[in-house]
Amino acid sequence: MTSSPASTPRPPSAERRASFEHALREAADIAALGPSSHNCQPWGVAWPTGRGARRAVERLVDEAPADGPEASDSTSGVRGTEGRDTDEYVILALDRERELTSLPAHAVEMLASCGAYLQVLLRSLALQGWSTDRIRFVEPPTGGRTGGAYDTGRPLGGTWPVSWSPLCAVRLRRTDEPAGSLAELRRTALARRTNRAPYRPDAVEPAVLDALSAPSTGVAEGAEVTVRHLVADSERAAFAGLVARHGGRDFSHRQAWRETYSFVRRDEAEARARGDGFPLSQLFGPLSAPRRHALRLALAPTTMSVLRHAGYHRVLARQLARVVRPTPVVVAMGLTDTSPGVEATVRGGARLAEYWLRATEAGLALHPVSVVLQHDDVRKELQDRLGLPGRTFFVSRLGRPLTDFPRSPRRIGAHAVRTI
């Protein structure tokens, strides 16, 4: 019997395929616990198992860039036939059926959310003995908006989901027993959440803040991201003032608020059943049934379209500012490129996930204040006022919360993984 040509990958053994499938689904469940804008979870992961799909993704990962390096390598040297036959691949995608589109800034939020997912996914796989060998990013066609619903066709065959836009392909290799604990990562991911409660006014120690900003690993290692901690009273007062003036913008923006409200669930039971979005208790803490019903009616898009004429959105902005003002730290993350592409933004999201997991391990909580970034004029005012470079893509309260908040529901059971 003759051996297979080096250019034709042999299908993986059933035993190894079952082993990787188990690892991938474990990793996907943990990665789903990462941060996600509006808890919309706009990611998808494809696992090529068919011969044609494996060939296509192998070409995608190995092809030489046409106009400069696109891939990042964690290993060097030429792979032999044995390595080719024992590799596994995953493709991270943006699921256009789950993305937010009402504001241009949502394009960056969607890619950052996918990057956060990828960081935890690959870290979880590494802790199960599958290390990242190479990543190839897929930039949108010329003229396509970053992270938007650009048309990439179906470059990986007819089984590729039509609503998915590929963001990057990853080659993974089996390694020796890894350092670290998957159980510990799972515990940290489960403990990570958005906490909108008041925070203790005590300062966060400089050494802790330095540790949060330490060099990153994994996908985040190549992120060109600046991290700025606003701790001076004048900086935090300036930030709270911006929130007070502009924090009601989303409530008064009809299309943006309608999209946001579509993720507000009636109660915790509905949120758990759907596995995304958030109940009102995620925004306001524990609520009685009558108050929950009243708030749901008051925040409904049709009601808000009337109440905004009475300045209700400004009342909500001032309430948010009162929560923001005593927070001991505001963290701002910025991409160095003011017009970032897919790779820069995905890596930025990976850096965000790494930071948030570190903060969770340190007993700290975060509460993103995204409204000041979702409108370009407000974001530019924020950056000018506080001297933030590049393109700020994340800003959040940071501190030790006075009370716990429930964890957002997630689509578990590896719903985001598809075989192609």
Side-chain angles (χ1 to χ4, degrees):
M1 180 181 293
T2 59
S3 60
S4 300
S7 59
T8 304
R10 292 192 295 268
S13 68
E15 181 181 358
R16 185 170 64 78
R17 176 177 172 178
S19 174
F20 181 74
E21 180 176 12
H22 175 76
L24 178 59
R25 296 193 181 281
E26 284 278 309
D29 279 350
I30 297 172
L33 300 169
S36 168
S37 174
H38 287 55
N39 196 20
C40 67
Q41 304 166 56
W43 46 69
V45 172
W47 174 34
T49 58
R51 185 182 296 271
R54 280 181 62 88
R55 286 178 180 173
V57 72
E58 185 172 86
R59 287 194 298 269
L60 176 63
V61 171
D62 283 337
E63 69 182 0
D67 55 354
E70 279 184 30
S72 60
D73 296 292
S74 58
T75 61
S76 59
V78 179
R79 295 182 304 128
T81 304
E82 181 181 355
R84 181 185 297 268
D85 293 336
T86 56
D87 292 338
E88 285 291 352
Y89 297 88
V90 294
I91 305 100
L92 174 72
L94 170 69
D95 186 347
R96 299 196 306 270
E97 291 183 348
R98 303 190 67 85
E99 71 171 335
L100 304 177
T101 59
S102 61
L103 297 170
H106 284 152
V108 170
E109 290 188 11
M110 297 301 98
L111 288 184
S113 296
C114 290
Y117 178 89
L118 182 66
Q119 174 74 4
V120 183
L121 180 82
L122 296 186
R123 184 173 166 187
S124 300
L125 284 169
L127 291 173
Q128 297 177 84
W130 290 93
S131 67
T132 299
D133 179 67
R134 198 179 198 202
I135 303 177
R136 171 74 63 186
F137 286 87
V138 181
E139 296 292 339
T142 303
R145 69 180 179 88
T146 300
Y150 49 80
D151 180 16
T152 57
R154 302 178 79 175
L156 296 166
T159 57
W160 179 259
V162 294
S163 66
W164 286 15
S165 294
L167 301 178
C168 66
V170 183
R171 183 168 64 217
L172 298 132
R173 312 197 78 175
R174 189 70 185 175
T175 58
D176 295 332
E177 189 69 23
S181 166
L182 185 69
E184 288 181 7
L185 176 58
R186 182 184 287 108
R187 282 194 294 269
T188 302
L190 281 167
R192 186 219 65 82
R193 64 199 61 187
T194 294
N195 191 314
R196 297 178 174 86
Y199 294 173
R200 287 165 47 187
D202 313 32
V204 178
E205 299 81 359
V208 174
L209 297 179
D210 289 343
L212 298 182
S213 305
S216 299
T217 60
V219 185
E221 186 175 2
E224 296 183 353
V225 171
T226 59
V227 180
R228 173 89 173 273
H229 292 119
L230 308 176
V231 296
D233 189 71
S234 59
E235 293 175 323
R236 292 181 293 115
F239 180 72
L242 281 167
V243 173
R245 291 195 301 276
H246 302 295
R249 180 74 71 90
D250 273 2
F251 297 106
S252 62
H253 190 293
R254 183 171 301 178
Q255 184 178 358
W257 181 244
R258 186 174 296 278
E259 187 173 57
T260 296
Y261 190 80
S262 70
F263 287 94
V264 176
R265 306 301 175 222
R266 181 176 60 253
D267 51 29
E268 288 79 1
E270 183 188 26
R272 285 194 300 270
R274 298 189 60 159
D276 61 8
F278 42 85
L280 286 173
S281 57
Q282 277 284 331
L283 298 176
F284 301 101
L287 298 168
S288 65
R291 178 160 168 73
R292 183 175 64 240
H293 181 67
L295 276 172
R296 187 170 174 83
L297 289 177
L299 294 174
T302 52
T303 309
M304 287 299 301
S305 65
V306 175
L307 292 180
R308 67 188 179 92
H309 296 294
Y312 185 48
H313 61 293
R314 288 189 288 272
V315 173
L316 295 174
R318 289 193 293 270
Q319 289 177 350
L320 177 59
R322 281 196 292 271
V323 174
V324 166
R325 179 64 183 85
T327 301
V329 185
V330 173
V331 56
M333 292 187 180
L335 301 167
T336 57
D337 189 345
T338 56
S339 299
V342 167
E343 178 174 359
T345 314
V346 169
R347 289 192 186 276
R351 179 70 179 86
L352 167 59
E354 182 98 337
Y355 181 99
W356 206 323
L357 290 175
R358 289 174 177 173
T360 302
E361 290 172 344
L364 298 169
L366 285 94
H367 168 200
V369 188
S370 302
V371 65
V372 296
L373 303 178
Q374 291 174 338
H375 305 272
D376 281 344
D377 59 328
V378 182
R379 177 180 57 80
K380 290 174 181 175
E381 182 180 350
L382 168 72
Q383 294 194 226
D384 290 345
R385 182 73 184 273
L386 295 172
L388 303 176
R391 204 261 191 219
T392 302
F393 73 98
F394 179 77
V395 64
S396 173
R397 300 168 59 219
L398 173 71
R400 296 180 174 91
L402 291 173
T403 60
D404 197 9
F405 247 59
R407 181 167 51 88
S408 299
R410 293 302 165 105
R411 294 182 300 153
I412 59 173
H415 290 294
V417 178
R418 307 252 190 113
T419 56
I420 61 172

